[in-house]
Amino acid sequence: MKVHFIAQPQEQLGTLLNVALNSAERPARVVLVSAFASLQAVLRLKAKLIELHEAGTTVRVVVGVDMGGTSKEVLKELATWPVEVFIFKNRKGGVTFHPKLYVVEFAKTAEVFLGSNNLTDGGLYGNYEGAVQVTYALPGDAAELARAKTELGKFIDPAAPVGRKLDAAYLALLKMRKDIPDEMEARLRRKVARGNTLIEGPAVDVFGFEDTPRPPALPLAVKNVVIAAIQHQMAEQDKKKAAVRASAKKAAKAAAAAKKPAPAAVPEDDIRDFVPLAQITPVAFYLELTTTNGAAGNIPGEQRIPLEALHAAHDFWGWPDEYTESVNPRKGPNADGKRRVYLERKPRWRVYVVGDPTKDIIIGVRMYYVAANSDFRFHSGNLAKWATAGDLVKITAVEGKDYLYECALAVKGSPQHQAWQALCSPTSGKSPRMFGYS
């Protein structure tokens, strides 16, 4: 028996778990036990766990629903899996289901991971967590493995009254509970819990900083599921807005015909009120650069980021907390005097061309949402000089440097461009722009 201690994030439990799950030898049994589970982490493991199940592996997932740590969307997703899924909950007050335990058993070995790591991206990759990995060599360590499984049996083999298998009937009951949040509620709770970290007076770094390993790139299937969900949510919201506007127009027309006061105007939409159904925590964003009408083949200084891309990763873009509102009338020969609302920030970016050290600059880049046009943009004059239509940029959020984003440009036809293009899909709008996350 071998005991290995894991100090995350320098060593990530999620990486070690994936090594075990993707071993050349198919495991006989896999059990995941976690107090909390996030949609992104669950989707990361979905394809592999279902593949193992279909090949004959016994797969079981046990999750808790205390403290709002697991959303309704996670439960709905797990309920579609062909594997065993159990919910562990004791309704006794003051008692929380809080273990985190991962077991992967093979014919000649077994791996048991036990620690503070929830089934979330933070728990498996990004957070500071402590865990132990116990490796059993079989059959020599069979008695020790059996003893461990017996002592942890309450969690590995949950039973009534606190453990219940997740089926359609049970899911319907759980979906009605107000103490289990949906993804939107869960995100709002986390945002409130983080609170305002700013202090009055001069800025002071009261905490230290160290760079830590990031989670691995998201599988394409995970990104596609989240983007598709947000696209559908946006489309449904647009339908509702159109219905409200049509009803208001009809009411105003009726009031005018009856010579009555016009009804109150429909309030303007505020994009900051949009709460996405799901979120991802990407490492990087990829965007195909395009021209605008009349640009004569040149890349404009500003590029439009699809709204579904913005809404899929609010934290990546610092949205909306890092943006301030400004109101300016339109200027120039086509000025119409109308009120124009912007939500904007101007952080420092490193902008450079891959493979060309002469084109590398650190500069402030304006990032902004234009309410009148309902689009999100960034402005870089350097891209206007260096890029042509069809080139791709990779935007990475960085920490611990004197800039917040790196924007790398890969020219069309280069090996880097081909690699990044494979991570992109078309936007849902009228534009043929390609974008993606990793």
Side-chain angles (χ1 to χ4, degrees):
M1 184 174 69
K2 178 182 176 183
V3 177
H4 171 63
F5 294 97
I6 303 166
Q8 191 174 288
Q10 274 60 40
E11 187 173 22
Q12 298 168 320
L13 188 146
T15 300
L16 297 174
L17 178 61
N18 274 315
V19 169
L21 294 176
N22 288 279
S23 173
E25 178 188 359
R26 179 179 60 81
R29 189 187 191 204
V30 175
V31 182
L32 311 180
V33 180
S34 181
F36 308 147
S38 72
L39 186 59
Q40 181 165 299
V42 164
L43 291 173
R44 276 186 187 274
L45 294 171
K46 178 179 181 177
K48 188 61 185 181
L49 293 178
I50 292 179
E51 175 191 319
L52 290 174
H53 165 80
E54 292 175 344
T57 299
T58 298
V59 179
R60 174 177 292 168
V61 180
V62 183
V63 297
V65 291
D66 289 306
M67 302 171 66
T70 302
S71 70
K72 289 183 172 73
E73 282 77 12
V74 171
L75 301 180
K76 287 188 282 188
E77 171 61 35
L78 290 174
T80 67
W81 292 15
V83 308
E84 288 186 321
V85 179
F86 284 84
I87 306 302
F88 198 111
K89 170 67 178 176
N90 187 343
R91 70 171 184 265
K92 180 181 178 181
V95 176
T96 301
F97 179 71
H98 213 241
K100 298 91 178 176
L101 167 67
Y102 308 93
V103 182
V104 185
E105 298 182 58
F106 299 90
K108 296 183 179 180
T109 62
E111 303 284 357
V112 175
F113 302 90
L114 181 65
S116 62
N117 313 71
N118 274 305
L119 184 55
T120 64
D121 259 27
L124 294 180
Y125 299 105
N127 293 345
Y128 286 98
E129 308 278 1
V132 61
Q133 176 185 8
V134 184
T135 303
Y136 298 88
L138 304 176
D141 295 331
E144 286 297 319
L145 175 62
R147 183 168 69 87
K149 289 163 61 177
T150 297
E151 292 173 352
L152 295 169
K154 183 79 172 179
F155 311 136
I156 295 174
D157 300 302
V162 291
R164 181 171 173 178
K165 194 170 184 177
L166 182 63
D167 54 24
Y170 193 27
L171 176 63
L173 294 174
L174 295 174
K175 286 163 62 177
M176 292 189 292
R177 295 192 61 89
K178 294 183 178 179
D179 57 339
I180 301 177
D182 59 28
E183 280 291 312
M184 289 190 290
E185 292 169 334
R187 289 192 63 248
L188 288 173
R189 289 183 185 185
R190 289 193 292 269
K191 183 175 179 179
V192 171
R194 286 198 299 264
N196 186 356
T197 59
L198 299 178
I199 59 174
E200 295 183 0
V204 178
D205 290 328
V206 297
F207 302 118
F209 173 86
E210 67 175 358
D211 197 17
T212 58
R214 295 177 179 270
L218 288 168
L220 186 60
V222 174
K223 293 174 284 187
N224 289 345
V225 166
V226 173
I227 294 292
I230 292 173
Q231 288 172 342
H232 177 74
Q233 183 185 3
M234 292 170 59
E236 290 299 307
Q237 185 184 72
D238 287 344
K239 289 180 183 177
K240 291 178 181 178
K241 290 178 183 177
V244 169
R245 288 193 293 266
S247 178
K249 185 177 180 180
K250 183 177 180 180
K253 186 176 180 180
K259 297 183 179 180
K260 293 182 179 180
V266 177
E268 292 184 10
D269 297 323
D270 190 331
I271 190 175
R272 290 168 291 189
D273 295 333
F274 183 87
V275 181
L277 287 169
Q279 288 279 275
I280 56 176
T281 53
V283 173
F285 172 73
Y286 304 84
L287 180 69
E288 180 186 39
L289 301 182
T290 59
T291 58
T292 55
N293 292 334
N298 296 321
I299 294 298
E302 62 185 24
Q303 285 292 317
R304 291 168 173 81
I305 296 172
L307 287 185
E308 58 262 45
L310 169 65
H311 289 315
H314 279 183
D315 288 346
F316 181 88
W317 300 108
W319 181 267
D321 300 341
E322 301 298 326
Y323 293 74
T324 57
E325 180 178 314
S326 63
V327 180
N328 296 301
R330 187 170 185 173
K331 300 177 181 179
N334 297 320
D336 52 16
K338 292 184 178 180
R339 177 177 179 268
R340 292 177 65 83
V341 178
Y342 300 88
L343 301 172
E344 56 189 338
R345 67 190 295 213
K346 194 173 183 179
R348 284 162 60 83
W349 287 32
R350 177 192 173 201
V351 183
Y352 66 97
V353 178
V354 175
D356 187 347
T358 66
K359 296 175 180 177
D360 191 331
I361 190 171
I362 296 175
I363 194 170
V365 172
R366 185 182 178 216
M367 305 166 66
Y368 58 105
Y369 172 78
V370 187
N373 295 7
S374 295
D375 58 26
F376 182 59
R377 312 175 187 182
F378 69 91
H379 181 274
S380 170
N382 297 94
L383 289 180
K385 299 174 185 177
W386 299 339
T388 58
D391 291 350
L392 282 170
V393 291
K394 175 184 178 182
I395 300 173
T396 307
V398 299
E399 296 177 310
K401 298 184 181 294
D402 62 350
Y403 51 88
L404 293 183
Y405 293 94
E406 279 189 353
C407 180
L409 172 68
V411 299
K412 190 174 182 178
S414 67
Q416 195 66 70
H417 183 280
Q418 294 176 2
W420 293 352
Q421 192 174 45
L423 300 171
C424 297
S425 302
T427 179
S428 64
K430 297 179 180 179
S431 168
R433 284 172 299 163
M434 302 283 286
F435 77 95
Y437 279 112
S438 67

